[in-house]
Amino acid sequence: MNAQYDVVVVGGRVAGASTAMLLARAGAKVALVERSAYGSDTVSTHGLMRAGTMQLSRWGLLDKLTGTPPIRSTTFHYSDREPEQVSIRPGGGVDALYAPRRQLLDRILVDAAADAGAEIRHGVAVTALLRDENGRVTGVRLQDRSELTAGITIGADGIRSTVASATGAPVVRRGRSCSAVLYRYYAGVQSTGYEWAYAPGGAAGLLPTTDGATCVFVATTPTRMRSLRRDGAEQAFATVLADMAPSLTDLLIPATPVDRMHGWAGAAGFFRQAWGPGWALVGDAGYYKDPITTHGMTDALRDAELLSDALTGPEVALTKYQATRDELSIALFEATESVASYTWSLDEIRELLRKVSSAMKAEVTQFVL
């Protein structure tokens, strides 16, 4: 069965579902295609920063994060001094941050897109893009050989985006650093806020998430992680956690693992060309940076709104969309690159984290308010 839409969004996670929702709320006829099952989990950093939390609040979705505790403090652990706790101050209409599991957050956004009128198709992969005689993208072909035609096709399908690959979207800026990460969920962790820990050569952290679970992660260079994993993922996880944060290790003594170990081998960050004839990219498909600064979901929400505004404004302003995306991203991208190098001293990491905080504040000021 073939169908005609104003917009086809490929990828139904945070970036794609948000974009579909906003465009459907603006009156566009939208189809959202996602290869995974409805409500399924995915690799994630979980943490929403202030800008993303504010957007969910403005969209009327924040109160749907049921079972996800509010985060009202962040504690920084360094191997050369006592922990430093920072309170999350109310601002921009929100008084806390959140770190939802993805099977909850993605489902909330998909449901909101469907409520706005978008047609949702889960468990379906895109196999090719459609083009007209001039080479303009005009839609997608699905694995069942049906076709969805549209005025614009949006790739929101991650760092290995089918849309980006098929359009040949060039990488206009590429990073060099990347983190290898292991993480697992625990029940019974006595922590109510974000906990970040840093020591030479790596980092670790705790994020209280949905239904009483806490995501515990460790991160280091891919080279070191590969070496440690020769003795198994469990041993690698325990070694990095003990090296980075003995105090966090103590928090896990009464805790119980509730899930298997998850891993991310690492990938260098990039900015891709964000649009072309009949297509656009959003989320990790267009801009990706290392997860160590826990900002990917917030970026995805931000760029979904930037893109939908560009497509629904008085003029289709995709050039401005890319320029604004890059302007709001570059400072945090560069700071993240430095953090993910793991070549810093403890004095240097503290300065880098101040730069990360400054970039986040600038994002809130320039974009959301």
Side-chain angles (χ1 to χ4, degrees):
M1 181 181 71
N2 300 335
Q4 171 70 44
Y5 299 89
D6 298 318
V7 183
V8 170
V9 181
V10 181
R13 295 295 185 174
V14 173
S18 300
T19 303
M21 176 197 72
L22 292 168
L23 289 170
R25 285 182 176 184
K29 184 178 181 182
V30 180
L32 175 65
V33 180
E34 167 56 44
R35 67 168 56 232
S36 65
Y38 172 74
S40 60
D41 201 5
T42 189
V43 173
S44 181
T45 57
H46 298 304
L48 282 169
M49 299 304 156
R50 187 179 298 275
T53 305
M54 292 166 66
Q55 285 179 281
L56 290 180
S57 178
R58 285 195 289 107
W59 298 343
L61 303 177
L62 190 60
D63 62 355
K64 296 184 182 296
L65 295 178
T66 54
T68 304
I71 306 297
R72 293 193 166 89
S73 69
T74 300
T75 302
F76 295 89
H77 302 257
Y78 304 102
S79 58
D80 65 342
R81 61 174 62 180
E82 291 299 308
E84 302 172 5
Q85 187 176 81
V86 179
S87 296
I88 305 299
R89 297 179 181 177
V94 298
D95 62 0
L97 307 180
Y98 295 84
R101 288 291 297 267
R102 291 296 295 276
Q103 59 262 53
L104 173 63
L105 179 61
D106 293 5
R107 189 171 67 243
I108 288 168
L109 292 167
V110 165
D111 289 349
D115 290 344
E119 179 181 320
I120 313 297
R121 301 193 187 188
H122 277 94
V124 180
V126 169
T127 59
L129 300 185
L130 308 176
R131 298 179 186 271
D132 65 16
E133 63 275 11
N134 298 315
R136 180 183 179 87
V137 174
T138 58
V140 300
R141 181 176 294 114
L142 305 180
Q143 65 189 82
D144 62 4
R145 298 190 178 183
S146 64
E147 296 180 349
L148 309 180
T149 58
I152 188 161
T153 298
I154 296 173
D157 46 343
I159 64 174
R160 298 175 182 84
S161 166
T162 297
V163 176
S165 177
T167 58
V171 174
V172 296
R173 185 184 185 99
R174 191 183 298 277
R176 297 177 301 277
S177 302
C178 61
S179 301
V181 180
L182 290 171
Y183 69 97
R184 169 177 269 172
Y185 302 97
Y186 287 80
V189 178
Q190 299 302 309
S191 175
T192 59
Y194 291 150
E195 308 257 358
W196 312 128
Y198 303 90
L206 309 182
L207 299 95
T209 185
T210 307
D211 294 336
T214 296
C215 177
V216 183
F217 77 87
V218 298
T220 187
T221 65
T223 299
R224 184 183 181 210
M225 187 67 82
R226 283 193 298 270
S227 177
L228 291 171
R229 290 193 68 163
R230 291 171 187 159
D231 294 323
E234 296 284 350
Q235 184 60 43
F237 181 85
T239 298
V240 179
L241 187 62
D243 288 349
M244 296 305 104
S247 57
L248 298 189
T249 302
D250 292 342
L251 289 175
L252 298 187
I253 292 173
T256 304
V258 294
D259 199 359
R260 64 178 177 85
M261 191 75 70
H262 302 261
W264 173 248
F270 58 80
F271 291 78
R272 284 188 177 121
Q273 172 70 29
W275 66 279
W279 60 272
L281 301 176
V282 70
D284 285 347
Y287 158 57
Y288 164 80
K289 66 177 176 304
D290 191 85
I292 191 60
T293 48
T294 324
H295 206 69
M297 295 195 305
T298 299
D299 284 335
L301 295 169
R302 180 200 71 190
D303 291 350
E305 188 160 350
L306 286 174
L307 179 56
S308 63
D309 286 348
L311 293 173
T312 58
E315 298 179 358
V316 178
L318 290 173
T319 300
K320 183 178 179 182
Y321 159 63
Q322 179 168 329
T324 305
R325 178 201 71 176
D326 294 356
E327 179 184 355
L328 292 174
S329 302
I330 191 63
L332 187 53
F333 182 85
E334 291 179 346
T336 300
E337 276 285 294
S338 296
V339 175
S341 73
Y342 299 102
T343 59
W344 31 259
S345 68
L346 289 170
D347 286 339
E348 288 169 338
I349 187 59
R350 284 186 279 269
E351 178 58 29
L352 287 171
L353 294 175
R354 283 190 284 270
K355 290 181 179 179
V356 168
S357 178
S358 178
M360 290 183 184
K361 290 177 182 176
E363 179 180 64
V364 170
T365 300
Q366 294 181 40
F367 176 67
V368 182
L369 296 182

